[in-house]
Amino acid sequence: MHSPHGFPGHLVGFVEALRKRGIAVGPSETVDAGRVVSVLDLLDREALREGLACSLLRRPTHRATFDALFDLWFPAAMGQRDTGQIDTALPRNEAGEVDFAALRELITELLVDGSAQSLELTQMLAAQIVEELGQYKSANGPSFSAYQALRDVAPDTLLSKILEGLLGNAKGGSDRPNGSYVDEVAKRTAAQRISDLRKLVENETRRRAAEQLGRDRVASYGVPKLAEEVDFLRASDTEMLALRRSVTPLARLLASRLAVRRSRSRAGSIDLRRTLRKSMSTGGVPIDLVQRKPRRARPELVVLCDVSGSVAGFSHFTLLLVHALREQFSRVRIFAFIDSTDEVTRFFDSGADLGAAMSRIIRESDLITYDGHSDYGNAFETFDDKYAQAVTSRTSVLVLGDGRTNYRDPKVAALAHTVSVAKHAYWLNPEPKGQWGSGDSAASLYEDVISMYECRSAQQLGDIVSRLLPV
């Protein structure tokens, strides 16, 4: 640490790095963190990690970003690690090349053991793998790559061997009490230990890159985004899982914002006619304002959602959010489409498992008429023909999709009719605005008849929904 103000300055720098990545850390949390580190053993790195996480983080979905920044600001070591407890070089064959078969056997033994000593040896081995296999030449000189380090090691191929080692010499699952349960626990443990090895290599790669390029530069590209900042169309399975975990907190936040907006609108708008009439008793000066009686009825919501593969992640997350906010509306009806439209509200009962609901939509709904490729024109026309009565002058319509029609007739008039009947109509598009109208996108055409918003991440979605959600 090279902060001019010692450890307190270093801690403040770490907090500033968290803020730059979108994690909200206020002065009170920073003071709490200072109090926490004052009673911790600073040589116990994991205790320091957990103490700072407890005092600085508000959301569990921010943990991955926190951990990556922590590893940069509080590295396990500087320079090369001491690998004296294992061979300083990876196992090699007679030709002097790395013996990957022997290396994989060593990794398997360490991951099967799982003891504290094995974990320490695994950390050292990960450092050596990065040192010997992860280097490559770049424009700025030697650099390191976690992908290159693990490319030939292929730790995922060790799953079955690690599983065998964890199960030991026990007989098959059918001959063991609770055998299937034990097998499932062993599978998850093996997969988790392989994942932990990958994280060790990635952390070591970031550490070495930070020594060479500077931690601020590495933090700008080598630290995972917050779950709410991940692009829906580029999110991995792991990132989508983190996104789904953030649905409930986001729904609570939006519901609280809506409650505040409703409380502020309790007085209603000014009734100009009655105000002027009352001002006649004061010489025409409107001293007393007369306000209209506010309407308390909650609005209805109709959702039209593209569930085709290209936008499935975005649509699924948004539907989960809408389901979590259903109490804010007097009625919610959900319609899914691919090349045809069907109502899927029945899958979103209050006690329904939302993950199972999404699967049932694809299996049980009538969404495909032709070839299963998106056809927005036919979907909107089908909705207008079969479900037009779902939209009234009290309805807010929300369309979810990228507007890519596979060069088919967009049938804008069908959507325009739905929009003309609804009280409000909005379209959330997960593609960048610069791509609207490119290729087979009809977004620029639909934009002429409905208000369209770019919505690429959960953060954007929350901001947009909080502004558009009617009171």
Side-chain angles (χ1 to χ4, degrees):
M1 293 177 287
H2 303 289
S3 173
H5 303 290
F7 189 86
H10 189 76
L11 178 60
V12 170
F14 175 59
V15 168
E16 290 176 352
L18 293 174
R19 290 171 179 163
K20 288 180 181 178
R21 293 315 301 259
I23 299 178
V25 181
S28 61
E29 287 88 358
T30 306
V31 172
D32 289 342
R35 291 173 177 169
V36 166
V37 299
S38 68
V39 298
L40 290 177
D41 179 3
L42 299 184
L43 297 180
D44 188 341
R45 185 165 174 265
E46 291 309 308
L48 177 62
R49 182 196 299 270
E50 297 304 320
L52 291 178
C54 288
S55 57
L56 296 176
L57 293 184
R58 301 178 185 177
R59 299 183 185 180
T61 53
H62 293 172
R63 185 58 190 260
T65 303
F66 170 90
D67 283 338
L69 287 171
F70 179 90
D71 290 331
L72 290 176
W73 257 254
F74 302 92
M78 299 301 291
Q80 296 186 8
R81 293 176 183 267
D82 177 13
T83 57
Q85 297 184 51
I86 61 174
D87 291 339
T88 56
L90 301 181
R92 298 183 181 275
N93 55 28
E94 296 179 354
E97 300 172 340
V98 175
D99 188 340
F100 288 104
L103 176 58
R104 285 191 281 267
E105 287 294 331
L106 175 59
I107 292 174
T108 300
E109 292 176 7
L110 292 174
L111 297 187
V112 168
D113 190 328
S115 64
Q117 183 179 8
S118 294
L119 176 59
E120 184 178 356
L121 293 176
T122 304
Q123 292 174 333
M124 296 178 180
L125 182 61
Q128 198 63 31
I129 289 174
V130 173
E131 174 69 21
E132 296 196 33
L133 301 178
Q135 290 195 52
Y136 70 96
K137 292 183 179 180
S138 67
N140 297 319
S143 190
F144 297 89
S145 164
Y147 168 77
Q148 182 166 312
L150 292 175
R151 181 182 57 190
D152 295 321
V153 177
D156 290 334
T157 62
L158 304 177
L159 181 62
S160 59
K161 291 185 178 180
I162 296 172
L163 183 58
E164 290 176 5
L166 291 173
L167 293 175
N169 296 320
K171 295 181 180 180
S174 60
D175 297 332
R176 288 197 311 272
N178 299 321
S180 60
Y181 171 78
V182 174
D183 290 347
E184 182 62 27
V185 171
K187 288 178 183 178
R188 295 188 179 187
T189 302
Q192 184 60 51
R193 290 183 181 177
I194 291 174
S195 176
D196 291 342
L197 173 64
R198 286 189 171 276
K199 290 179 181 178
L200 289 174
V201 171
E202 291 169 358
N203 292 342
E204 179 66 15
T205 302
R206 277 196 297 266
R207 185 185 71 82
R208 291 177 180 269
E211 289 181 357
Q212 180 180 353
L213 303 175
R215 64 184 174 219
D216 291 328
R217 182 174 176 183
V218 174
S220 67
Y221 70 85
V223 173
K225 292 182 178 180
L226 301 181
E228 55 265 34
E229 294 180 344
V230 172
D231 193 318
F232 286 122
L233 300 185
R234 294 176 174 81
S236 64
D237 291 341
T238 302
E239 290 171 331
M240 285 306 303
L241 180 60
L243 273 174
R244 293 188 182 104
R245 290 173 181 161
S246 69
V247 166
T248 301
L250 180 58
R252 284 199 297 264
L253 176 62
L254 295 179
S256 64
R257 289 180 183 176
L258 182 60
V260 171
R261 288 172 57 191
R262 283 177 174 163
S263 66
R264 289 175 179 173
S265 64
R266 284 177 182 173
S269 59
I270 296 174
D271 188 327
L272 184 58
R273 176 182 296 179
R274 295 175 62 192
T275 298
L276 292 176
R277 184 180 301 166
K278 192 169 186 178
S279 69
M280 294 177 65
S281 62
T282 56
V285 180
I287 295 177
D288 297 321
L289 300 180
V290 180
Q291 294 168 319
R292 293 188 178 93
K293 186 177 180 179
R295 297 180 179 179
R296 296 295 181 212
R298 291 181 298 173
E300 299 176 355
L301 180 66
V302 166
V303 181
L304 281 166
C305 180
D306 181 0
V307 294
S308 62
S310 61
V311 293
F314 161 69
S315 299
H316 290 187
F317 179 82
T318 308
L319 285 179
L320 294 179
L321 179 62
V322 168
H323 181 267
L325 287 171
R326 65 191 180 280
E327 294 181 357
Q328 305 300 322
F329 301 90
S330 61
R331 188 179 188 185
V332 176
R333 296 183 68 177
I334 301 174
F335 299 85
F337 65 86
I338 296 179
D339 66 25
S340 186
T341 304
D342 192 15
E343 182 167 9
V344 296
T345 310
R346 62 188 182 279
F347 301 130
F348 290 89
D349 295 334
S350 58
D353 178 83
L354 300 184
M358 303 309 304
S359 299
R360 290 182 64 192
I361 287 176
I362 302 299
R363 294 197 315 267
E364 303 177 25
S365 302
D366 185 16
L367 306 178
I368 299 176
T369 301
Y370 304 115
D371 55 6
H373 293 100
S374 295
D375 186 342
Y376 279 72
N378 189 64
F380 290 145
E381 193 171 63
T382 300
F383 177 82
D384 194 38
D385 291 341
K386 295 175 61 178
Y387 305 106
Q389 74 283 356
V391 180
T392 68
S393 59
R394 295 185 61 249
T395 304
S396 293
V397 174
L398 191 63
V399 181
L400 312 176
D402 57 9
R404 294 200 170 270
T405 63
N406 291 293
Y407 298 102
R408 294 168 177 170
D409 185 354
K411 299 181 181 177
V412 178
L415 177 63
H417 179 259
T418 299
V419 172
S420 67
V421 176
K423 181 177 182 180
H424 305 288
Y426 309 105
W427 184 315
L428 305 186
N429 192 327
E431 283 197 339
K433 191 168 185 178
Q435 296 181 13
W436 297 358
S438 64
D440 63 341
S441 172
S444 58
L445 298 177
Y446 291 127
E447 192 180 10
D448 292 336
V449 299
I450 187 172
S451 299
M452 189 174 291
Y453 297 86
E454 179 186 289
C455 188
R456 299 171 58 191
S457 66
Q459 187 174 43
Q460 277 188 317
L461 176 63
D463 292 340
I464 292 171
V465 171
S466 67
R467 287 189 284 109
L468 302 184
L469 205 61
V471 294

